[in-house]
Amino acid sequence: MGILGNIRKDFLFLMRIGRALARVTPMARRRTRTFPDVMDDLAEKFSDRLALISDRESFTYAELNRRGNRYARWAKAEGLAKDETVCLLMPNRPEFVAIWLGVIRMGGTAALLNINLTGAALAHCINVVSAKHIIVAAELAQSFASAAPLLAGEPKVWTHGECDLAALRIDEAIAAFSETPVGKDERPALTLEDRALLIYTSGTTGLPKAAKINHYRILAAMDAFSAIMHIKPDDRLYDCLPLYHTSGGVIAICAPLREGASVFIREKFSARQFWDDVTDRECTLFQYIGELCRYLVNAPPHPKEKGHKLRLCCGNGLRPDIWTTFATRFGIGEIREFYAATEGNAIIFNLDNTPGSVGRVPKWAGFIFPLKVIGFDIDKEEPIRDTAGLCRECKPDEVGELVSKILVSAVKPGQRFDGYSDKTATEKKILRNAFEADDMWFRSGDLVRRDARGYFFFVDRIGDTFRWKGENVATSEVAELINSLDAVKEANVYGVPVDGREGKAGMVAIVADRSLALPALRQHIHSHLSAYSRPLFIRLQQEIDSTSTFKQRKADLVRDGFDPEKVRDPLFFDDVAAGSYVPVDAALYRRLQAGEIRL
């Protein structure tokens, strides 16, 4: 990239980040203006404009706010105190937003439960936040019933809609409450620092953790992303992501509302239905998770896939191996990839469509975004410290952990880290005394590299990267190479232990179509990957297990390893002597574990 190219990219960064900062920065000076206050103003300003749309119900701005007022008065009548928690278990629909808007208007906290959880995992999410009330959508009554016997305390249960649960009907109860504006004398005094939501981590490893989201974080997302996407009143955003997570439930909802735009809410993603929805509903924006884009790319051609009005897609996790294909096949002009974590204080944006980058921070903008990439020990899974006990910042293109400085400052509230409801889990995310005494940095848990131009590139989640033959293997980079083969629909790469061997051997679970030929797969892998990074074991699956936000699960695959007694899928070993993949049976498994075969 030449001098003119650098100047252009710096100009785009300055213009687009400047617009976002111009909105977010003044917020800190209005500490008592919380999200419900903003919604009051928006309801008055955009009264009869459509706000939230779905196949179930649609609300104008005024209707959404009035509906929230009913729930607020319900919360007050039930004696919900400031900071007490209401758990919400409900599929995607506009009513979901109205409920948590009403709860936080009265100073309560809305804990947004993952609708795919059942039993012990669901009970854990409710218990860990000490819920006072639980609102359960009728269609999720059975899921809740599986968790009910494991609940601690005696939270009051309400159902929304008719079902078999022995509980009060909240949809009927709120009919008795007024929808008129809730006066300041009726609600507790709130500030931007007060907690509003609890949003759970995906739980790819261990049980989910409840991340604290205060009013500042909601409003900052609202203002920043509306600026980054340059949203206008005539825009309509397509939202098929779970409303119980930050991307689908805060960014995709709140950013359009700031500008008087609308959001079409789909209950769940469907690759088959996607282009009909986007086209027929005249959506101009799409909030994505990278794997959704992969599903669309892998889907057969759709007659409407280029007849849409999408002008921009915003999201995270769009991997380099499908970025260009996604943009060109579907005619997507602008992609706003960003990097952030629900609970974290680090956020960066890719503002110039550079394929594969999760964001850029020019050197001259470092004071705005206090981020560093630090040396990391893969084996010990901890930052590398020198003889003085301090961390080392990585050189350009060197892989390390991304960390962001934690500041407790009224001037920079975005650099706070409020953590989780679990104090132990919170402490694990804080890196102390990294570069000087008593400093604190938020640990992202992600390995990244930053090039000399300031572009960040995601490498892997800590714990996913493994060592083999003394070298670090990034699972995401191996997966991208395998995914580039036409017959492969999805690849999930991980490391598995082998008796008597140091480190972990590479293994990949693959979903492919019938055209996949193992010799062609092996040639592709051997032609493009170094010996240490080539997967030694192949597992062919019908589908890849993933979280509700389409993050691949690896823990069960690692536990299964390459043991044919545990793995019922077709299983193969890369036999160098034979020059091919050979099936793994009990006899071969014993020889591999006994060290009789050279790896």
Side-chain angles (χ1 to χ4, degrees):
M1 183 168 62
I3 295 176
L4 290 178
N6 280 322
I7 293 174
R8 177 182 176 276
K9 289 180 181 291
D10 279 3
F11 175 75
L12 282 175
F13 179 90
L14 182 62
M15 179 180 67
R16 289 169 175 169
I17 285 295
R19 185 191 303 133
L21 291 176
R23 294 183 177 185
V24 175
T25 304
M27 283 171 44
R29 296 194 293 268
R30 305 182 68 180
R31 293 183 63 253
T32 60
R33 181 174 163 77
T34 60
F35 181 73
D37 296 319
V38 172
M39 284 305 304
D40 285 340
D41 292 344
L42 293 174
E44 183 175 349
K45 183 177 181 180
F46 301 116
S47 177
D48 294 328
R49 290 183 63 88
L50 277 173
L52 305 180
I53 307 161
S54 79
D55 290 336
R56 286 198 178 202
E57 70 249 344
S58 296
F59 294 148
T60 65
Y61 279 76
E63 288 169 341
L64 173 61
N65 209 43
R66 290 198 295 262
R67 193 75 173 164
N69 289 337
R70 289 185 184 273
Y71 283 105
R73 289 196 163 87
W74 162 83
K76 183 178 181 180
E78 287 297 319
L80 186 73
K82 183 178 176 181
D83 293 332
E84 288 187 335
T85 303
V86 177
C87 285
L88 177 57
L89 186 67
M90 178 176 281
N92 280 16
R93 57 186 291 186
E95 188 81 356
F96 184 103
V97 181
I99 292 173
W100 70 252
L101 171 60
V103 169
I104 71 172
R105 179 166 272 150
M106 276 302 167
T109 300
L112 311 182
L113 299 172
N114 185 331
I115 64 172
N116 297 289
L117 298 180
T118 58
L122 178 56
H124 161 80
C125 290
I126 296 170
N127 291 337
V128 77
V129 299
S130 303
K132 298 295 182 181
H133 297 267
I134 307 169
I135 300 173
V136 182
E139 57 265 57
L140 296 171
Q142 287 188 344
S143 295
F144 175 75
S146 70
L150 304 174
L151 296 181
E154 296 183 354
K156 194 170 182 178
V157 180
W158 302 76
T159 63
H160 193 286
E162 185 177 357
C163 62
D164 293 334
L165 286 180
L168 296 170
R169 289 273 301 273
I170 193 168
D171 51 324
E172 294 177 346
I174 65 165
F177 296 102
S178 172
E179 62 181 18
T180 57
V182 180
K184 288 189 178 294
D185 58 333
E186 299 180 78
R187 45 183 164 150
L190 297 174
T191 70
L192 292 175
E193 287 77 29
D194 283 313
R195 191 176 66 187
L197 302 174
L198 288 165
I199 296 180
Y200 297 83
T201 59
S202 296
T204 52
T205 57
L207 291 168
K209 299 185 289 290
K212 300 175 183 177
I213 309 297
N214 60 21
H215 286 266
Y216 174 84
R217 290 177 72 87
I218 297 175
L219 290 178
M222 187 180 208
D223 283 354
F225 280 89
S226 63
I228 291 299
M229 289 188 266
H230 207 189
I231 298 177
K232 301 175 181 177
D234 58 352
D235 275 319
R236 177 167 294 169
L237 188 145
Y238 185 77
D239 186 7
C240 59
L241 300 178
L243 295 188
Y244 53 76
H245 277 318
T246 307
S247 286
V250 177
I251 296 171
I253 296 294
C254 297
L257 292 184
R258 187 198 188 278
E259 304 299 333
S262 59
V263 183
F264 176 75
I265 300 172
R266 167 62 64 191
E267 185 167 320
K268 58 184 178 181
F269 170 74
S270 166
R272 184 174 57 85
Q273 185 69 32
F274 181 85
W275 293 113
D276 285 323
D277 279 347
V278 165
T279 305
D280 296 347
R281 297 288 183 164
E282 299 187 318
C283 295
T284 57
L285 306 168
F286 166 44
Q287 188 79 28
Y288 68 81
I289 291 289
E291 286 308 301
L292 298 192
C293 302
R294 185 182 302 282
Y295 296 153
L296 292 172
V297 166
N298 288 335
H302 190 285
K304 295 181 181 179
E305 67 181 36
K306 283 193 173 180
H308 58 79
K309 295 183 178 180
L310 288 178
R311 64 171 180 82
L312 181 147
C313 297
C314 179
N316 52 7
L318 183 56
R319 301 299 296 155
D321 57 308
I322 63 164
W323 184 302
T324 302
T325 302
F326 175 76
T328 54
R329 173 178 166 180
F330 303 125
I332 307 297
E334 294 282 335
I335 295 176
R336 290 286 181 272
E337 175 80 7
F338 68 91
Y339 175 91
T342 294
E343 72 278 30
N345 64 350
I347 184 166
I348 46 179
F349 297 94
N350 180 340
L351 300 171
D352 55 32
N353 293 316
T354 298
S357 173
V358 299
R360 178 180 182 237
V361 178
K363 288 183 179 180
W364 54 264
F367 72 99
I368 304 174
F369 300 92
L371 306 167
K372 291 184 183 293
V373 182
I374 60 173
F376 190 82
D377 189 314
I378 298 295
D379 290 331
K380 296 180 180 179
E381 292 196 359
E382 62 183 31
I384 298 172
R385 293 183 183 264
D386 60 21
T387 54
L390 300 179
C391 295
R392 174 183 63 82
E393 189 168 5
C394 290
K395 299 175 183 177
D397 289 318
E398 181 183 355
V399 175
E401 183 179 8
L402 179 66
V403 297
S404 178
K405 193 164 190 178
I406 297 172
L407 298 173
V408 181
S409 167
V411 179
K412 280 198 168 186
Q415 290 302 128
R416 287 176 45 150
F417 171 55
D418 293 315
Y420 312 101
S421 59
D422 184 329
K423 292 183 180 180
T424 302
T426 298
E427 187 59 32
K428 287 181 179 179
K429 297 293 285 186
I430 300 175
L431 178 66
R432 300 181 184 274
N433 305 309
F435 299 98
E436 59 186 17
D438 299 324
D439 66 350
M440 294 187 297
W441 296 74
F442 170 75
R443 294 191 59 191
S444 69
D446 290 328
L447 297 176
V448 305
R449 63 178 178 85
R450 182 182 190 180
D451 69 15
R453 300 172 298 167
Y455 287 96
F456 290 84
F457 296 85
F458 177 83
V459 174
D460 225 352
R461 286 289 297 167
I462 289 174
D464 288 351
T465 290
F466 60 90
R467 286 178 71 81
W468 182 244
K469 296 185 177 181
E471 301 286 350
N472 296 333
V473 180
T475 60
S476 61
E477 294 180 352
V478 176
E480 285 170 19
L481 184 279
I482 296 173
N483 279 322
S484 67
L485 200 64
D486 289 341
V488 175
K489 294 182 178 179
E490 190 173 3
N492 189 0
V493 178
Y494 49 100
V496 293
V498 183
D499 289 351
R501 307 300 205 283
E502 290 187 5
K504 292 182 177 181
M507 187 164 180
V508 57
I510 293 176
V511 176
D513 60 35
R514 294 181 179 180
S515 68
L516 178 68
L518 290 182
L521 173 64
R522 188 175 188 272
Q523 182 179 4
H524 180 70
I525 289 175
H526 278 251
S527 298
H528 295 90
L529 293 177
S530 56
Y532 68 85
S533 61
R534 296 171 193 156
L536 294 183
F537 302 99
I538 308 291
R539 178 175 179 171
L540 300 181
Q541 294 189 297
Q542 294 297 313
E543 62 180 5
I544 298 291
D545 188 25
S546 63
T547 69
S548 58
T549 50
F550 307 98
K551 295 177 182 177
Q552 295 173 334
R553 298 187 193 273
K554 299 177 188 280
D556 289 344
L557 296 174
V558 173
R559 281 194 291 269
D560 289 346
F562 55 98
D563 185 351
E565 291 294 317
K566 297 179 180 177
V567 179
R568 294 291 176 255
D569 301 315
L571 189 62
F572 300 91
F573 165 63
D574 187 355
D575 189 332
V576 176
S580 64
Y581 292 130
V582 298
V584 179
D585 56 18
L588 179 57
Y589 177 75
R590 285 194 296 270
R591 292 182 64 204
L592 288 165
Q593 293 289 45
E596 297 175 7
I597 298 176
R598 184 178 178 182
L599 300 179

